[in-house]
Amino acid sequence: MPRSWAGSPLRTGEWEGARSRRSFDAAFLGGIQMHHDASHWSARLTTTARSVWAKHDRDSEKWLQLWRHMADSAAMAERLWDEWAPRNVRALVAESLPGRDADARALVVWLAAIHDIGKATPAFACQVEQLASRMRDEGLDMPTAKQFGDSRARAPHGLAGQVILEEWLERQGWSPRGAMAFAVAVGGHHGVPPGHDAFPHLHQHTELLRTPGRSEHLWQSVQTELLDACAAAYGVRDRLDHWRAVKLPQPVQVVLSAVVILADWIASNSDLFLLFPEERPRSDADRVERAWRGIDLPSPWSPDAIPQSAAELFSSRFALPEPRPLQKEALRLAHAATSPGLMIIEAPMGEGKTEAALAVAEVFAARSGAGGCFLALPTRATANAMYGRLRPWLRRLPGDEERTVSLAHSKAFLNDDFARDLRAGARTIAAVDLDGASASVRSERADQRAAASELVAHQWLRGRKKGMLAPFVVGTIDQLLFAGLKSRHLALRHLALAGKVVVIDEVHAYDAYMNEYLERVLSWLGAYRVPVVMLSATLPADRRKALALAYSGADEGRRELAEEVSYPLISVVSAGNVTVTGSPAAAADRQTTIWVESLEDGVEALADRLETELAEGGCALVVRNTVDRVLRAAEVLRERFGADAVTVAHSRFVDLDRARKDDDLVARFGPSGDRPAGPHIVVASQVAEQSLDIDFDVLVTDLAPVDLVLQRMGRLHRHRRGDGQSQRPVRLRGARCLITGVDWAADTPTPVDGSAAVYGSHALMRSLAVLNPHLAGAPVILPDHISPLVQSAYAPNRPPVPEGWLEAMDTALAAHQDTLAGQRRRAQTFRIDEVRRPGRSLVGWIDAGVGDADDSRSGRAQVRDGEESFEVLVVQRRRDGTYATLPWLEGGFGGLELPTEAIPAPRSAWAAAASALRLPYHFCRPWLIDQVIDELERFCPAAWQVKESHTLAGELFLVLDEDCQTRLAGFDLRYTQTDGLEVLPAETKDVRLVKSDAGF
């Protein structure tokens, strides 16, 4: 850090105390470490400036002076910048400043030092009367808090600090716009940059900043004194003239704001920085060192020793004897790219996209200086599965340092792997004594890390605001989309992403509403120069093009992206250049030829056809687009084939049952599964489309968008079972897909209402159009036909169809366009703006925002379109009136007591939390939501709502009776192990409403 300020004269009047006026030329001579010890510069402050307070504990009456909190915050910003911030984040800030690295470091430390200058105002200081009285004794007159009344709310200290800093900079020749861009990190240090409408009131009511009259000049003098002192102490005094012409980019403003927030959070932790008076005096350097060791934040990932050959890399990281062609090509392109940018990998399942993405992430991180990796998945289930795959890769990375990990979704604590990592990282966050106590702490944590194979979930990096800051994170796509949502502490989420390589899986799985957020987030990631790897089975050319355009902000390569039809396909956008490469196609022995036929809709027709197909045995998968259709089909198939021959899988199982179902499916129908000897039918909803590595002899599927139909076809003959599939029944050795859910007898084939409600008629008609030649006899060959079919279905021009279909397709298209327009319009309500040109400040960045963004029911609804859904925890009320977990839950979690007068035991609470279930669409209608909530909230034990009951507090509970039935909002419900939650016809049974005990 440059010390060129030492010995340079200050301008006359810039640092004027209430009782004395000094030259500080010599005061700050003394060496490079001087700023570590606040006493070196605070001792020169006037007693008036030293009387200003910043922190107060009403219980202990301890307090902290403003100058000391400024020094603490600066010290933490310095440590964060030097030891925690990834290299690419530091470079982003440095490139915008004339002094590069030295300027970046000085700026972030200085902003952290002055972030609370707004506390040197009467509007803040009046809050604690005994401390305000001390300041009055020094001449800083102020009204009492009561005298101020409600007007104080218009001068929060962050906003006040920004105004004071802007005025200070403008007195030194800065333009108002330039001053605002630098000062917004002060104004937004509580998570929300000020809005434009916040400033006029404060400018009109300066009594909130400085008490009018005889002390007005003194207030301004103290504010100036503190700002001048920090400018000199932290090395920016002679840099201000150089920065005056800088047009600070918005991404840099975000990073600076976020680091200031973190420095303030750490410096405000009274377990790390004790309030005064302390039990024993300590030097400032000792105070800082103890706190930094106490928080023990992880260093950023710094990849090294990356093998040059693909064979060596994939062997050492993934224990693969030979990488697939796709993986080799992805790695080659990662090394060859002009600079790390956006890579889109399109390939069928089984080609090793995940391993390719992690290998590319390692190369991109090494080249860019990214300090971690974030993997975004569509659902909690897929995120959990990915977390399990991430851990072995982390263990195999070179180096013996601890790897800090996080699983970012609302039910992460239920994941066994993450729970182990949480326990390994559990410790008390407190200042570490430097006289020997720290050694015992390190020894204890060393034991924990050894047990956890060097993987921990850091204690401090937990919670919805900080979890994403861990170096390695797996989460749902919502966690990424929240970066495009106007919400509190958005800067922290951006900082978390700016320092990582971002991997986005299942890119094809998101609708137009979510894509609006995704594209906006990509545009910001591109501005941060964050390397991004996107994975998909296949993308329509327009989607591929839109994603690349969003990331690059330029039009280069659009033609190449739009015209390329090779498959598998890897597209790279790097420094304005576009590379589109077709990866070698799958070997012939990995191709699957599928014969496609239509099947009359109706469960009896389905049962008849399956009797024929399974006459010699075999396993069939039936995929329905709605759970109601799943359950109706299962009912009839059980009558025909027997209950043991039919398995049901859908989304209306509680989490523990759902996990058991998934495990059972993989155990029986996976690559090494113990397949049933006789005929067996799995009837499933869309849960069978992805994530499960399962394999069947014959497929019956409702018509769906063609990319999803192809996903479902990927479950046919997925694995070789003997030479020429000889282990399958003779009739089923050729893969066959039967498409139903359509009225084939109509002049224009018409999808059933349930499917149209889920996907829209337009997508279904387009799918039918491109599948029509295959229904007429031409087989579908996977993976060769994946890209042509998808590109044709989603092309701007309509695919060829019979003349009689045209009117229906035009009607469906018009409705589809209206839907898209509505989705985009709704998404824009709370979506952040595009990156503005350099020099535009973040003021107003999240105006009209949503408040906090979190992984809750309402939080997810902000970045996902559709009616609000409800997740409930399912418990049972016994005949004796006591409550318990569902009786059959495996692992010893069934039938555990849930006392309503006390916090349930941890094991019982965990089992209840793991019995989450999302209510079906019946209960999400706008006209029914209030009634549903009212009825669910009737069971709300007060003992469960305390902070200590964090797993159950605030949850909604669906209480079943002893027969596992109940009534909700006029619907009869039944839950079974085999079929999950069923919504019964109202006349089925007069099921009584389970009422809670009085007072709940």
Side-chain angles (χ1 to χ4, degrees), residues 988-1000:
T988 299
K989 180 183 177 183
D990 185 19
V991 184
R992 60 184 172 83
L993 174 66
V994 177
K995 296 183 179 179
S996 60
D997 295 339
F1000 287 172

Side-chain angles (χ1 to χ4, degrees), residues 791-808:
Q791 302 311 327
S792 179
Y794 290 97
N797 299 324
R798 182 171 50 207
V801 294
E803 185 72 23
W805 294 21
L806 295 179
E807 183 178 353

Side-chain angles (χ1 to χ4, degrees), residues 873-888 894-898 900 912 915 939 944 957-965 975 994:
L873 305 186
V874 182
V875 299
Q876 187 179 47
R877 187 178 190 230
R878 296 161 167 167
R879 285 184 171 82
D880 62 3
T882 62
Y883 296 85
T885 61
L886 297 175
W888 59 78
L896 298 180
E897 297 286 339
L898 294 170
T900 54
S915 299
F939 180 79
W944 297 5
F957 295 87
L958 182 68
V959 183
L960 305 178
D961 66 12
E962 60 276 7
D963 298 321
C964 289
Q965 300 191 45
Y975 189 93
V994 177

Side-chain angles (χ1 to χ4, degrees), residues 375-395:
L375 292 89
L377 286 302
T379 64
R380 291 200 304 246
T382 53
N384 287 340
M386 183 61 74
Y387 189 79
R389 298 178 68 179
L390 179 76
R391 297 172 86 250
W393 173 66
L394 291 177
R395 291 194 188 97

Side-chain angles (χ1 to χ4, degrees), residues 52 92 163 499 599 630 827 900:
V52 181
L92 179 78
V163 170
L599 176 64
V630 169
T900 54

